[in-house]
Amino acid sequence: QVQLVESGGGLVQAGGSLRLSCAASGRTFSGYVMAWFRQAPGKEHDFVAGISPSGATTYYADSVKGRFTISRNNAMYTVYLQMNSLKPEDTAVYYCAADWFSGGIRALRRNYDYWGQGTEVTVSS
């Protein structure tokens, strides 16, 4: 069992930056692929970024590539999402998720075993 708690969301103007954090507790954090998803109003959960258990490999959705950076600190049981050059279309609830899988970073919601409660990000134009 893994518990995930996100923080760092808020209201920001377009072009601004935010850093989301996801604190994990429970089973061995360093064994999980970690990812961020987001859900805009009236839409499905979309994959944003993922990171391998060691942190050596990352994967991004095309819509955020070059603007967002995912990282993790296994000693602190925390994963981060640095979001720069934010756009109004980035407005969503952002969720942290954990996947116990050794084959790589997966982008489908159904592959992730544990989820946080979400943190809301609003980007004004």
Side-chain angles (χ1 to χ4, degrees):
Q1 188 78 8
V2 174
Q3 294 79 42
L4 303 172
V5 179
E6 302 96 334
S7 61
L11 173 63
V12 63
Q13 288 189 330
S17 298
L18 281 175
R19 189 194 197 203
L20 305 183
S21 298
C22 172
S25 61
R27 294 185 61 185
T28 306
F29 175 73
S30 60
Y32 285 87
V33 167
M34 298 299 297
W36 289 93
F37 287 76
R38 66 186 181 187
Q39 185 178 29
K43 295 189 176 182
E44 298 292 324
H45 283 73
D46 290 330
F47 175 86
V48 175
I51 189 165
S52 62
S54 68
T57 303
T58 56
Y59 177 55
Y60 296 92
D62 287 343
S63 59
V64 306
K65 202 172 293 183
R67 300 188 298 122
F68 291 10
T69 303
I70 188 170
S71 61
R72 65 192 295 162
N73 184 328
N74 285 343
M76 298 295 291
Y77 276 49
T78 304
V79 62
Y80 305 97
L81 186 67
Q82 178 67 45
M83 305 186 296
N84 299 328
S85 302
L86 282 161
K87 305 174 181 180
E89 50 265 43
D90 295 317
T91 294
V93 177
Y94 284 71
Y95 296 89
C96 174
D99 179 15
W100 184 265
F101 180 67
S102 60
I105 300 168
R106 300 189 287 187
L108 295 178
R109 179 188 178 189
R110 65 172 182 261
N111 294 134
Y112 286 77
D113 307 300
Y114 302 102
W115 292 80
Q117 82 292 346
T119 186
E120 189 166 3
V121 172
T122 303
V123 184
S124 62
S125 57

